[in-house]
Amino acid sequence: MMNFFDPSQPKKESRKCANVEDYKKAFDFFDANNDGHITAEELEAAMNKCGQFPSKLELRLIIHHGDNDKNGVITFDEFAHLMSGSTSRNKYTFAQLQEQFQMFDKDKDGYIEKQEMIEIVRELALGSSFPRGVIEQMFREADVDGDGKISFEEFVLAVN
């Protein structure tokens, strides 16, 4: 039985509080405008101050992994969860993602072009569920770097 007054016993609660205080200081560093949310722009600026220069895709991946409620920003609770290393698992395995990507990548060039996405929706007779406007919006959201095509990395981010 743990004796709370025995100084030789580890103080788990005080360590936990120290972590929360550390997380709060770090969160405040990232949350430049102090609105309680870390945006992709704030994340990029803070990382740049630390000498790190992530790509837009890497920033989006970080936000994706930390943004549990999928509102596009990271709150303090989400930040603490992300920092503690207890993130959720992906929906699909790597092999499943490769198979899905290859189904869309008709010309096997390593990218999904918008026309390929439109064609697969037509082939699968999903047109009523995914009209062209919806497909175009999904494509724009998945095309993180804006090059007009979806790489495997962008596909993984969009699907998982």
Side-chain angles (χ1 to χ4, degrees):
M1 183 168 176
M2 180 181 270
N3 180 346
F4 291 104
F5 299 104
D6 182 352
S8 69
Q9 293 290 322
K11 295 180 182 175
K12 289 183 183 178
E13 190 59 39
S14 66
R15 250 186 269 129
K16 186 176 180 181
C17 289
N19 282 343
V20 171
E21 289 171 16
D22 291 342
Y23 291 163
K24 183 66 178 141
K25 286 178 189 173
F27 182 84
D28 290 344
F29 175 75
F30 284 90
D31 182 20
N33 65 359
N34 299 312
D35 67 351
H37 302 94
I38 298 172
T39 64
E41 293 78 19
E42 288 173 318
L43 178 64
E44 181 177 27
M47 290 181 77
N48 290 173
K49 286 180 189 175
C50 296
Q52 300 296 312
F53 301 93
S55 69
K56 296 294 182 198
L57 180 59
E58 290 169 324
L59 290 167
R60 183 119 182 235
L61 280 169
I62 294 167
I63 294 289
H64 174 77
H65 287 295
D67 182 20
N68 296 330
D69 62 6
K70 304 301 176 209
N71 66 350
V73 296
I74 297 176
T75 63
F76 175 71
D77 289 340
E78 291 169 331
F79 181 80
H81 185 74
L82 182 66
M83 296 303 292
S84 71
S86 55
T87 56
S88 60
R89 296 182 53 106
N90 292 330
K91 295 178 193 173
Y92 302 101
T93 66
F94 184 76
Q96 289 171 321
L97 289 166
Q98 280 185 315
E99 183 180 327
Q100 292 169 6
F101 183 81
Q102 289 167 0
M103 180 177 71
F104 282 96
D105 183 16
K106 295 278 196 189
D107 61 7
K108 306 299 179 214
D109 66 349
Y111 296 95
I112 301 170
E113 285 84 19
K114 191 184 311 179
Q115 191 57 40
E116 289 174 317
M117 186 179 274
I118 291 167
E119 287 173 22
I120 197 71
V121 167
R122 189 178 310 131
E123 283 176 26
L124 297 173
L126 297 172
S128 60
S129 300
F130 295 97
R132 189 176 184 105
V134 171
I135 295 169
E136 289 181 8
Q137 179 184 353
M138 289 169 53
F139 191 88
R140 278 192 307 274
E141 289 174 6
D143 183 19
V144 176
D145 61 10
D147 65 355
K149 51 192 175 183
I150 299 170
S151 67
F152 181 69
E153 292 82 6
E154 290 170 321
F155 179 79
V156 170
L157 176 61
V159 174
N160 259 349

